[in-house]
Amino acid sequence: MKIARGAGEKVDVVIEIFRPGTLEKEGLGFEELKKENPKVILARISGYGQTGPYAQRPGFAAVAEGVCDCDT
């Protein structure tokens, strides 16, 4: 996470792939990033969403791939 500090003022978009709340625990949440760069966009991607009963569970690519039931 040390590498990420200070990057907020140099980037346009931050993509988070951690469990909800991880960036905030490290002092890198949206409010902190916005102080460095008011135009920053934060996209949060988690296995089970940001809220709800499974939000704190880790997600893995195999979970998302297993959900797809496509005939291609």
Side-chain angles (χ1 to χ4, degrees):
M1 292 290 186
K2 289 181 182 181
I3 294 172
R5 296 197 188 280
E9 61 192 34
K10 299 176 184 175
V11 300
D12 296 320
V13 178
V14 175
I15 300 173
E16 176 204 16
I17 59 169
F18 301 114
R19 292 181 197 179
T22 301
L23 287 183
E24 285 74 14
K25 288 177 189 173
E26 297 293 332
L28 295 168
F30 181 67
E31 294 304 319
E32 289 81 9
L33 293 172
K34 193 167 72 169
K35 288 176 188 173
E36 293 182 26
N37 179 354
K39 295 182 180 182
V40 71
I41 297 169
L42 174 61
R44 298 183 184 261
I45 302 168
S46 59
Y48 299 99
Q50 296 295 301
T51 61
Y54 297 147
Q56 292 302 315
R57 290 187 179 185
F60 301 97
V63 173
E65 292 164 6
V67 172
C68 182
D69 185 20
C70 306
D71 293 324
T72 56

